[in-house]
Amino acid sequence: MSSSPIQKGDHGAAKPQPVHLRTRERKAVEASSAAFSCPHGHCFLSDHHDANERRTWWVILLTVTTMGLEIVSGLLFGSMALLADGWHMASHASAMGITALAYYLARKHMDNPRFTFGTGKIGDLAGYSSALLLLVVAVLMAYESIVRLVNPVAIHFKEAMVVAAVGLIVNLISALILKEHHDHTASDHHASDHHDHNLRAAYIHVLADATTSILAIAALGFGMLLGWSFLDPVMGIAGALLISHWAYGLLREAGGVLLDRTPNESLLQSISEAIEPLDGVRIVDLHVWRLGPGHHGAIISLATSRGESPDFFKERLCRLKGLSHVTIEVNASNEHSF
């Protein structure tokens, strides 16, 4: 019995290097993998990790700036609505901080040997945590909306609409900055396996805020024109339900990654098609899991009567897109065909 690990990625350097140099090395190694070059390393970060981190910081800067302007304006003009939205922006910036911190920690420890399979899952952990936070926000929204539906309060429609409009503009700009863009081809595996759950969590946060702003503007407009004040809490309940739906989806995806759920059937099929057509070779055990955005690991146990080394089978798998770390175990078999 023999085994051999392979990895398509950068080779761990002896000394820490700047982020832009490590990024260049990753790209160079990825280019060489097309020629069956499989150096062994454990960097499983997204190809867009550094760019996504910068995008997150731009959104934090935009959010903090808006927060400061709203708080100062609220104090100067005596507007409680502006003050409330300003402090809401503070909580929004804190949520973005989770995303930024996850990117920093994943990058900082990317070559740390104590992380057996790299730091690609730090983003999934942050995404899962952000989804839980979104669920808490949705519950609080629903509770407050029900309270206001039962016990209506006076609404300053014009002032509230101005604040909602400002929030909508800021959140739409933030959503455009954070939106993921993937260039998938017909040969790519399931699109969700390429998702950066950390960035997606930040995107859902701003999208949720933008949605509540749209619902608020609609409710305030009808309330001001037709006197339908009850629409404000009703829209709050609708927004809470929508946010809960998005948060549940993120929890399910990120949680599945954290629990090493098999990502998709297409990658399993590709592995089988690369190995099992060989005479006298059979896959007896196969485990595939996600290591990071666009990266998967596999442990494969083979029974064969051919006598080839693990390197032979390794080269047959090295071209599979998204398969970044493979351990192959070869067991001798007395059978000559399967």
Side-chain angles (χ1 to χ4, degrees), residues 26-107:
R26 289 202 298 269
K27 291 181 178 178
V29 170
E30 287 166 0
S32 68
S33 67
F36 297 118
S37 174
C38 297
H40 189 74
H42 296 89
C43 176
F44 303 118
L45 304 183
S46 166
D47 294 340
H48 307 289
H49 182 92
D50 299 335
N52 290 346
E53 184 177 2
R54 288 193 297 271
R55 290 158 68 185
T56 302
W57 280 111
W58 276 114
V59 170
I60 290 175
L61 178 62
L62 176 62
T63 302
V64 170
T65 301
T66 306
M67 174 194 75
L69 290 175
E70 288 190 336
I71 291 176
V72 171
S73 299
L75 292 173
L76 289 175
F77 305 126
S79 171
M80 194 58 213
L82 283 174
L83 277 173
D85 197 62
W87 289 117
H88 168 72
M89 284 287 183
S91 64
H92 184 65
S94 299
M96 294 298 106
I98 295 176
T99 302
L101 179 62
Y103 280 127
Y104 167 74
L105 291 175
R107 173 168 49 82

Side-chain angles (χ1 to χ4, degrees), residues 1-21:
M1 179 181 73
S2 59
S3 63
S4 173
I6 66 171
Q7 192 267 339
K8 295 192 291 187
D10 63 331
H11 194 290
K15 296 180 180 180
Q17 296 179 338
V19 174
H20 67 280
L21 292 180

Side-chain angles (χ1 to χ4, degrees), residues 153-323:
V153 297
I155 301 174
H156 301 283
F157 291 104
K158 291 183 179 180
E159 190 177 55
M161 285 188 72
V162 170
V163 173
V166 170
L168 175 61
I169 293 171
V170 171
N171 285 306
L172 287 178
I173 294 173
S174 299
L176 288 174
I177 294 174
L178 293 172
K179 184 174 175 58
E180 282 190 279
H181 299 284
H182 294 296
D183 298 323
H184 295 297
T185 64
S187 61
D188 284 349
H189 297 293
H190 200 276
S192 65
D193 294 331
H194 295 265
H195 277 314
D196 183 337
H197 291 135
N198 192 29
L199 187 71
R200 186 162 177 249
Y203 177 70
I204 290 178
H205 267 287
V206 298
L207 194 64
D209 272 359
T211 301
T212 54
S213 294
I214 292 172
L215 293 175
I217 290 172
L220 292 168
F222 280 108
M224 185 169 59
L225 295 175
L226 303 176
W228 294 354
S229 298
F230 67 90
L231 275 183
D232 186 65
V234 168
M235 290 296 188
I237 294 172
L241 292 174
L242 186 59
I243 293 171
S244 297
H245 174 71
W246 288 338
Y248 173 74
L250 182 58
L251 276 175
R252 186 176 179 181
E253 287 188 21
V257 172
L258 294 174
L259 293 174
D260 293 332
R261 181 184 61 200
T262 300
N264 62 77
E265 294 297 328
S266 61
L267 184 54
L268 297 177
Q269 182 179 353
S270 296
I271 293 173
S272 297
E273 290 174 351
I275 298 295
E276 292 200 317
L278 297 171
D279 291 335
V281 180
R282 178 167 55 93
I283 296 176
V284 295
D285 197 20
L286 173 60
H287 299 275
V288 178
W289 69 100
R290 174 171 144 151
L291 300 167
H295 295 279
H296 299 85
I299 297 177
I300 308 170
S301 181
L302 303 175
T304 175
S305 59
R306 296 171 61 93
E308 282 91 350
S309 70
D311 288 340
F312 171 80
F313 301 101
K314 172 182 70 176
E315 289 193 354
R316 296 185 65 87
L317 296 172
C318 217
R319 289 185 183 271
L320 294 184
K321 188 172 183 179
L323 191 59

